[in-house]
Amino acid sequence: MVPGCYDALSGKVLAEAGHKAAFVSGYAVSATLLGEPDLGLLTPPEMARKAGQIIYSIPNVPVLVDADTGGGNVLNVQRTVKQLINVGAKGCFLEDQRWPKRVGHMRNKEVISMEEFAGKVSAAREAIGDADFFLVARTDARGVNAKYGLEDAITRANLYADAGADAVYVEAPISKQELSLIGQKVKGLRVMGMLEGGMTPLLTPAEAKALGFHILTYPLSGIYAATRALKDAYATLRDVGSSRDMLSSLSTFQDFNSLMGVDERIAAEERLTRREGEKLVVRVRGPSKPVRDSE
């Protein structure tokens, strides 16, 4: 189970809930960072910067990042992968859509040739080298052709596995029957993505495992929950003029401060520094040697 997050706060909530891995969704980051839909407006450097902030906030949780199409050709893909490795990501999802891309469950998608994308996968694998980084190759071919899309997607997924992907992901199957076929015919580790309101039926990890899948993502549950909560809270403030009747639906001051680690931060500050009157005293490991002007 790999739920999605989109900023440092949502990452902390995810970790506090006990999840063992996180996925940073481009759809969600485009919305929260830019206030824009997932139509290719978010750039790889913006995504890497946001991913780094999330990774810093939850250092003990492996974070996988949505790399979209990699930002261009094979050279762009390598730069994108290296940026994500540098900020501490433990993997990425790379997809075969034609730029500008769209969210996987939207209409009017296009995909590049499978040979071109296999080259991108190989380029990503070369950039990874010996790094601890998990590469997921995603194909959006299922939604491009109603008659032959699933067959094409399975062929592509197997080619991408051969090209060096650690796992493969067929986006937007429309039934359990299609999922079962993917589980039987796609080689290697298989990823299933769950989107509330999307085309794929929502399943539990046990149900996904029974169909032959290994990784289950719920990338947008968090942002949809947060959006609904924000809409309800702001509507109440508009209509009622106070939050006093919705306190049970809010995080408390104490709980929020605990999530942020306020007490730990204050304790660290007090441990490392103290004041003697107007003088700030800083603890150091040992006596320091004065530096003379001549030195």
Side-chain angles (χ1 to χ4, degrees), residues 243-254:
S243 63
R244 63 191 178 196
D245 294 330
M246 63 177 186
L247 294 179
S248 62
S249 64
L250 301 181
S251 177
T252 66
F253 180 73
Q254 292 78 13

Side-chain angles (χ1 to χ4, degrees), residues 42-51 79-80 83:
L42 184 70
T43 66
E46 288 173 324
M47 187 57 154
R49 191 177 307 116
K50 179 57 65 176
R79 181 168 184 250
T80 295
Q83 285 179 326

Side-chain angles (χ1 to χ4, degrees), residues 103 205 217:
V103 66
T217 68

Side-chain angles (χ1 to χ4, degrees), residues 84-261:
L84 294 177
I85 291 172
N86 287 341
V87 300
K90 291 301 182 181
C92 76
F93 282 50
L94 192 66
E95 65 194 57
D96 63 1
Q97 279 199 54
R98 186 178 302 281
W99 193 263
K101 56 90 58 166
R102 295 174 180 269
V103 66
H105 292 250
M106 287 183 178
R107 60 185 182 277
N108 299 328
K109 296 186 299 181
E110 296 181 16
V111 292
I112 62 177
S113 73
M114 66 178 75
E115 294 81 9
E116 181 181 356
F117 187 71
K120 287 188 173 185
V121 174
S122 296
R125 174 53 56 196
E126 181 180 275
I128 292 167
D130 295 329
D132 181 14
F133 194 83
F134 192 78
L135 177 62
V136 179
R138 164 181 148 180
T139 177
D140 284 73
R142 171 62 190 92
V144 173
N145 186 304
K147 186 174 183 180
Y148 300 109
L150 181 61
E151 181 181 347
D152 185 28
I154 291 172
T155 300
R156 284 169 174 261
N158 286 327
L159 176 62
Y160 303 160
D162 290 339
D166 294 303
V168 289
Y169 171 25
V170 175
E171 172 74 319
I174 62 174
S175 66
K176 284 188 177 180
Q177 289 74 22
E178 290 194 358
L179 289 167
S180 178
L181 195 62
I182 293 166
Q184 296 170 31
K185 293 194 172 185
V186 171
K187 63 178 68 174
L189 297 177
R190 295 172 287 275
V191 177
M192 183 188 299
M194 303 283 92
L195 173 60
E196 295 83 357
M199 299 177 181
T200 307
L202 300 178
L203 303 178
T204 66
E207 291 168 334
K209 183 178 180 179
L211 291 173
F213 288 80
H214 307 87
I215 300 170
L216 186 67
T217 68
Y218 269 87
L220 303 180
S221 307
I223 193 170
Y224 285 165
T227 301
R228 179 59 184 268
L230 287 169
K231 292 179 74 171
D232 290 346
Y234 291 144
T236 297
L237 292 175
R238 179 196 64 215
D239 298 338
V240 179
S242 171
S243 63
R244 63 191 178 196
D245 294 330
M246 63 177 186
L247 294 179
S248 62
S249 64
L250 301 181
S251 177
T252 66
F253 180 73
Q254 292 78 13
D255 285 346
F256 192 86
N257 286 345
S258 176
L259 179 66
M260 292 298 102

